[in-house]
Amino acid sequence: MSVWSYLTTAASWQGEDGITHRLWEHVWLSGISVLIACLIALPIGIGLGHLGRGGVVAINLANVGRAIPTLGVLILFAVSPLGLTTATLVATLVLFAVPPILANAYVGVASVDRDAKESARGMGMSGFQVLRRVEVPLALPLIAAGVRTSALQVVATATLAGYTGNGTLGQIVFRGFNVNLSYLVVGGAVLVAALALVTEVLLGLVQRLVTPAGLRVRGGPAVRDASTLGEPHRATAAV
């Protein structure tokens, strides 16, 4: 069977081992992992950015996070008493997803123009009001970029769940390796790539929607993953 035949045959999309079921497992596992990572990283990153402290820790954590061998963590769970369960898979992906979200949230808030914040305080806003009405809105493009980067990494990495027999589109790939059927390997890889592309496009649109018009004109594509930066850049705006 060819890759095209596999992807276009109705039977390939049906059943517990079909593409539809594996796609849903992949999306669910990736989505819940990114959501938990956001709940952990965003409050910490935004809080540190507002206080102007912990920048070195946030950036270095992001850089260390890039070096985490995800497969190695999965193997550690496999030989531990916890074993490889849905919970440990999610924990592994959350560990991988937190650093870029944390770094971008910190940099986004910390790099809001000082004059904008002083103007807001001069208007009588409290510290929390400055954070909610000035810093977070202006930091949203960079925060969204962090979530976007994290989601793409998780979608790609969740494929490894198939290696452990825990579903996702990766199970199609590794089943192809096990039975020596190249159309399953290539077909599964194509599906993962397609899912990553859709994720990139959708989150790119979200990032553009949350970017204020003025920053969109000046910054455009320059708004990116801040965890690759050595120091925060300056986001200028007027209140």
Side-chain angles (χ1 to χ4, degrees):
M1 180 183 290
S2 68
V3 175
W4 177 253
S5 297
Y6 170 69
L7 294 177
T8 55
T9 300
S12 301
W13 294 79
Q14 300 170 357
E16 289 191 1
D17 202 33
I19 295 173
T20 302
H21 185 67
R22 296 306 181 198
L23 177 62
W24 166 247
E25 290 177 331
H26 204 117
V27 171
W28 180 87
L29 184 64
S30 301
I32 196 68
S33 300
V34 173
L35 176 60
I36 294 173
C38 286
L39 293 176
I40 295 171
L42 287 180
I44 297 174
I46 291 172
L48 291 176
H50 177 66
L51 296 174
R53 300 174 182 172
V56 174
V57 174
I59 297 299
N60 287 338
L61 178 61
N63 292 331
V64 170
R66 293 177 182 277
I68 293 177
T70 311
L71 183 58
V73 175
L74 289 175
I75 293 173
L76 286 176
F77 275 126
V79 299
S80 73
L82 294 175
L84 280 174
T85 63
T86 300
T88 54
L89 280 170
V90 169
T92 301
L93 292 175
V94 168
L95 181 67
F96 191 57
V98 161
I101 299 175
L102 174 61
N104 275 45
Y106 169 79
V107 173
V109 174
S111 61
V112 170
D113 188 70
R114 185 183 301 274
D115 291 338
K117 293 186 284 189
E118 291 301 327
S119 297
R121 292 191 182 96
M123 295 170 61
M125 292 187 188
S126 64
F128 178 74
Q129 288 175 319
V130 172
L131 175 65
R132 181 173 62 87
R133 299 175 61 179
V134 178
E135 292 176 327
V136 170
L138 290 177
L140 271 179
L142 203 55
I143 292 174
V147 175
R148 178 181 175 183
T149 298
S150 179
L152 287 173
Q153 292 177 349
V154 168
V155 165
T157 307
T159 307
L160 292 175
Y163 178 77
T164 65
N166 285 274
T168 74
L169 293 172
Q171 187 135 342
I172 297 175
V173 176
F174 290 106
R175 181 160 62 91
F177 279 122
N178 290 336
V179 297
N180 198 27
L181 292 175
S182 60
Y183 71 86
L184 288 177
V185 177
V186 178
V190 168
L191 290 168
V192 173
L195 179 58
L197 181 60
V198 170
T199 302
E200 166 74 9
V201 171
L202 291 178
L203 293 183
L205 290 174
V206 171
Q207 182 180 341
R208 182 170 178 81
L209 287 174
V210 301
T211 302
L215 292 179
R216 195 180 303 162
V217 172
R218 290 193 295 272
V223 178
R224 61 192 189 277
D225 179 14
S227 61
T228 61
L229 305 178
E231 295 181 0
H233 70 282
R234 284 287 162 189
T236 57
V239 176

